[in-house]
């Protein structure tokens, strides 16, 4: 769910005990009090868990096999139809209770493989695995060249150009799915030699002030700047509009063409599916690649081109060096440089 703790209001008499001071641009300090359950309070996890006990009790009384850990829940049944019916009932109950689900991360359609609580749940095999990010490989520039060559020719469809643009932007901007799925046309400003993309919200943006990513106009076939403008032209969108850039498509059989559904955006599941199809079509083993492979590939390529670690960290909006290093893969040349510089 979205901002789970913030669903719980605090008693007005107790709000004074959860205050803090903040200074704005060296001005006189201002004081604030939380009106909802804050993150960081030691008793918050316990209170939050107790808050959902009635819902859990209600679901289990109906025979739903469901478990909840803080704001992450999962359930399973014996067949697809029953699982879907339970999913619909749970979603309906949550909305009626005033709970706002996180659309980007929720999976309401039944699946047999699920990454949950940091583990990979393989229901068909009846096993649990550890989904190590290090097991995935980065997308490389040569992969993107092949992708553009295969899917972005002169007769390419709007669907293919959308998917190629998503890949190029994800790679060049080191974007997470949540970053790229929330991008709107009005968030992009095109300059003569680059574009500036405003990320209005991000998982590491705790102050909710947003951040900007600049991407150069390279002139190459894989130039994200050029491909995004081509996508905008084909989709016939206003570059200043509030519409999501990567929306769902409607196929028109009569004209054999696509159009963007206004107000829609690609879900995580659909994004993973269409990008996986593109990766597979250029000969990649999709078991070795995921959506993070784009972010990982951009960071890896920058590191192997000796871009400074500080710039990589800032461009990718990582808060710690440890997080950044999970995404960077040194190529053989840089790995060998260690032993080659030992004076042996």
């Amino acid at each position: 769910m979205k901002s789970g703790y913030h669903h719980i209001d605090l008693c007005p008499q107790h709000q004074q005990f959860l205050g803090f001071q903040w200074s704005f641009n060296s001005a006189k300090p201002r004081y604030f009090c939380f009106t909802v359950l804050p993150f960081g309070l030691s008793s918050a996890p316990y209170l939050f868990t107790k808050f959902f006990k009635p819902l859990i009790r209600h679901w289990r009384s109906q025979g739903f096999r469901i478990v909840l850990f803080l704001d992450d829940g999962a359930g399973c049944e014996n067949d697809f139809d029953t699982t879907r019916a339970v999913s619909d009932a749970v979603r309906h109950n949550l909305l009626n209770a005033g709970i706002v689900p996180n659309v980007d991360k929720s999976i309401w359609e039944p699946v047999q493989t699920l990454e949950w609580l940091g583990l990979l749940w393989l229901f068909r095999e009846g096993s649990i695995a550890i989904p190590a990010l290090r097991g995935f490989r980065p997308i490389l520039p040569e992969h993107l060249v092949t992708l553009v060559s295969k899917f972005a020719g002169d007769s390419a469809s709007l669907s293919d150009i959308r998917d190629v643009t998503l890949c190029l932007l994800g790679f060049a901007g080191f974007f997470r799915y949540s970053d790229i799925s929330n991008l709107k046309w009005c968030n992009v400003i095109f300059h003569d030699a680059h574009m500036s993309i405003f990320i209005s919200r991000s998982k590491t943006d705790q102050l909710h002030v947003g951040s900007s990513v600049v991407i150069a106009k390279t002139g190459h076939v894989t130039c994200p700047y050029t491909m995004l403008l081509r996508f905008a032209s084909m989709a016939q969108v206003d570059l200043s509009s509030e519409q999501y850039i990567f929306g769902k498509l409607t196929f028109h059989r009569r004209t054999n063409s696509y159009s963007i559904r206004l107000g829609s955006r690609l879900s995580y599941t659909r994004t993973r599916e269409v990008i996986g199809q593109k990766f597979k079509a250029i000969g990649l083993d999709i078991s070795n690649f995921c959506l993070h492979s784009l972010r990982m590939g951009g960071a890896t390529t920058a590191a192997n081109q000796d871009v400074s670690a500080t710039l990589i960290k800032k461009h990718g909006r990582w808060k710690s060096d440890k997080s950044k290093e999970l995404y960077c893969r040194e190529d053989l040349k840089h790995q060998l440089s260690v032993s080659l510089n030992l004076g042996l």
Side-chain angles (χ1 to χ4, degrees):
M1 64 192 70
K2 277 193 173 182
S3 303
Y5 286 3
H6 295 170
H7 284 76
I8 303 177
D9 294 329
L10 289 178
C11 172
Q13 291 86 349
H14 293 167
Q15 292 174 7
Q16 60 180 316
F17 301 114
L18 293 169
F20 61 94
Q21 170 188 311
W22 194 268
S23 298
F24 294 89
N25 298 323
S26 302
K28 184 178 179 180
R30 297 179 62 184
Y31 299 89
F32 302 87
C33 288
F34 280 99
T35 61
V36 293
L37 188 66
F39 291 92
L41 183 66
S42 61
S43 57
Y46 172 79
L47 295 171
F48 188 79
T49 301
K50 297 291 285 185
F51 177 80
F52 277 91
K53 282 289 186 181
L55 275 173
I56 293 292
R57 190 179 301 114
H58 169 69
W59 290 329
R60 290 177 177 171
S61 70
Q62 298 184 68
F64 297 173
R65 290 184 285 188
I66 194 166
V67 63
L68 192 68
F69 179 78
L70 294 178
D71 61 346
D72 284 320
C76 64
E77 298 297 335
N78 292 328
D79 58 75
F80 183 91
D81 291 337
T82 304
T83 307
R84 173 181 277 176
V86 169
S87 175
D88 291 342
V90 168
R91 177 165 45 176
H92 182 72
N93 291 159
L94 287 172
L95 292 172
N96 283 344
I99 307 300
V100 181
N102 189 322
V103 177
D104 294 337
K105 296 184 177 180
S106 299
I107 301 175
W108 298 107
E109 284 295 305
V111 294
Q112 293 183 307
T113 300
L114 176 68
E115 188 172 334
W116 185 61
L117 299 183
L119 297 172
L120 197 61
W121 300 74
L122 307 170
F123 295 106
R124 179 176 292 180
E125 293 84 357
S127 62
I128 300 174
I130 299 175
L133 181 61
R134 295 184 181 277
F136 290 111
R137 298 177 184 174
I139 289 294
L140 300 177
E142 51 264 37
H143 296 146
L144 296 176
V145 170
T146 305
L147 192 72
V148 170
S149 175
K150 187 174 182 66
F151 292 106
D154 294 338
S155 60
S157 68
L158 180 65
S159 175
D160 285 339
I161 294 300
R162 180 200 63 182
D163 298 345
V164 170
T165 304
L166 192 153
C167 289
L168 295 179
L169 269 188
F171 181 90
F174 303 178
F175 289 132
R176 304 176 181 88
Y177 162 76
S178 58
D179 297 331
I180 210 163
S181 67
N182 287 304
L183 282 182
K184 298 179 179 180
W185 289 105
C186 61
N187 296 143
V188 184
I189 300 176
F190 291 93
H191 302 276
D192 289 341
H194 74 279
M195 59 182 171
S196 175
I197 301 177
F198 180 69
I199 308 298
S200 59
R201 58 180 181 176
S202 174
K203 63 183 291 186
T204 55
D205 181 19
Q206 298 179 350
L207 299 180
H208 305 291
V209 296
S211 60
S212 291
V213 176
V214 292
I215 297 177
K217 179 181 179 181
T218 65
H220 300 153
V221 294
T222 51
C223 176
Y225 179 109
T226 305
M227 194 64 69
L228 183 58
L229 282 178
R230 180 182 176 185
F231 177 45
S233 176
M234 291 181 66
Q236 299 181 339
V237 297
D238 180 355
L239 295 181
S240 62
S241 75
E242 292 276 343
Q243 295 298 326
Y244 291 108
I245 293 178
F246 297 104
K248 298 177 182 178
L249 299 177
T250 298
F251 180 67
H252 306 280
R253 292 183 181 275
R254 181 172 298 178
T255 59
N256 194 35
S257 62
Y258 292 90
S259 64
I260 296 283
R261 296 186 204 171
L262 297 180
S264 70
R265 59 178 172 174
L266 282 176
S267 67
Y268 176 82
T269 303
R270 181 57 179 161
T271 304
R272 183 175 58 182
E273 179 183 355
V274 297
I275 298 307
Q277 289 171 353
K278 290 293 187 290
F279 289 170
K280 185 176 182 179
I282 62 173
L284 299 179
D285 181 352
I286 58 174
S287 65
N288 294 324
F289 297 88
C290 63
L291 287 181
H292 274 299
S293 294
L294 294 168
R295 179 168 163 86
M296 186 190 306
T300 294
T301 302
N304 289 328
Q305 292 297 320
D306 297 322
V307 176
S308 77
T310 300
L311 279 177
I312 293 174
K313 182 178 175 182
K314 184 176 181 180
H315 192 77
R317 302 161 306 285
W318 282 290
K319 288 298 183 182
S320 68
D321 292 332
K322 183 176 181 181
S323 297
K324 173 185 68 66
E325 288 167 3
L326 286 174
Y327 286 82
C328 293
R329 303 287 189 274
E330 294 81 7
D331 59 18
L332 181 60
K333 173 185 173 182
H334 285 76
Q335 292 179 45
L336 292 175
S337 69
V338 177
S339 55
L340 288 173
N341 286 280
L342 296 178
L344 300 176

